[in-house]
Amino acid sequence: MAGVLAGHHGAQTVRVDFRRAVPVGAPLQLTTTGDVTALTDGEGTLLASAAAATLDLTVPPAPSWAEAKTASEQALSSPHRPVGDCYGCGAACAPGQGLRLFPWGLPDREIMASAWTPDPGLAGETGELPPENVWAALDCPGGIAAWHYAKMARGAVTAALTATQLRPVPAGAEYVSHAWLLGRDGRKHTVGVALSTADGELCALGEALWIEPRT
């Protein structure tokens, strides 16, 4: 959903803030006033908003394709492997019906990595991934990094995502995703996520705020 708002807004770098859970199967409305794109429900309640932003991240070197491929293989073979129908990291999603992006920790540094070849069914008419799928690829890896490295509680949600796409992302090509922890403040976890080509060219970059549920 963040990518839908970002694509509708149109700025190079956009911050999306989620205010409430976005219902499924209900009518929603996107409107832009000035610099703010708003997502509201049928009663006019604000669910999320998007605005132009800046992004200043120091990106750790991307893992190699071989490292990322090994990490994804470990994710799928682990008893804690990705399961369910999460659009980003769910192994139960059929190709083209979900991203099927499976991050796992590298053995020598605190980075979650994944090798990813997006299915052509995820692309638009041009063969490139639309913003909603590029942004979705910047979501789950960061949450998994926070769970793994900061013991973030299950049930945490993305509260905000700031991202920029630097180049087109054609389906069928090989990409490396990597995510790292930026900080923790109580229930709040901040992570960085990058998507690169297999030879290390940066395609998209994001910083996300995840918040644990109250206990």
Side-chain angles (χ1 to χ4, degrees):
M1 183 55 69
V4 173
L5 270 76
H8 194 275
H9 187 280
Q12 177 64 38
T13 303
V14 176
R15 175 181 170 117
V16 176
D17 287 278
F18 289 96
R19 309 298 183 183
R20 290 175 173 80
V22 178
V24 177
L28 304 174
Q29 185 173 7
L30 275 173
T31 58
T32 299
T33 304
D35 180 50
V36 178
T37 296
L39 177 70
T40 55
D41 64 14
E43 297 179 351
T45 301
L46 180 64
L47 305 175
S49 61
T54 58
L55 190 58
D56 183 17
L57 277 180
T58 300
V59 183
S64 68
W65 172 258
E67 288 177 312
K69 188 175 180 180
T70 297
S72 288
E73 290 169 350
Q74 290 176 334
L76 289 170
S77 64
S78 166
H80 305 293
R81 64 188 179 278
V83 294
D85 58 356
C86 174
Y87 186 78
C89 62
C93 291
Q97 300 300 311
L99 302 188
R100 295 179 57 82
L101 208 163
F102 309 127
W104 204 249
L106 296 180
D108 57 346
R109 55 198 188 276
E110 291 192 348
I111 286 178
M112 302 300 293
S114 176
W116 186 44
T117 305
D119 188 90
L122 300 172
E125 294 181 356
T126 63
E128 298 172 358
L129 299 192
E132 53 264 34
N133 280 333
V134 175
W135 277 61
L138 299 174
D139 190 23
C140 287
I144 295 173
W147 288 329
H148 190 75
Y149 297 119
K151 309 303 179 187
M152 184 173 72
R154 296 288 176 169
V157 297
T158 309
L161 176 59
T162 304
T164 185
Q165 184 174 340
L166 304 173
R167 52 156 287 169
V169 181
E174 296 177 341
Y175 300 95
V176 171
S177 166
H178 69 295
W180 60 100
L181 190 67
L182 292 171
R184 176 177 184 175
D185 180 12
R187 297 185 299 114
K188 300 178 180 180
H189 301 258
T190 307
V191 295
V193 185
L195 182 68
S196 306
T197 63
D199 58 7
E201 183 178 356
L202 194 61
C203 300
L205 181 64
E207 178 179 315
L209 171 65
W210 285 70
I211 298 182
E212 297 177 356
R214 295 184 185 276
T215 56

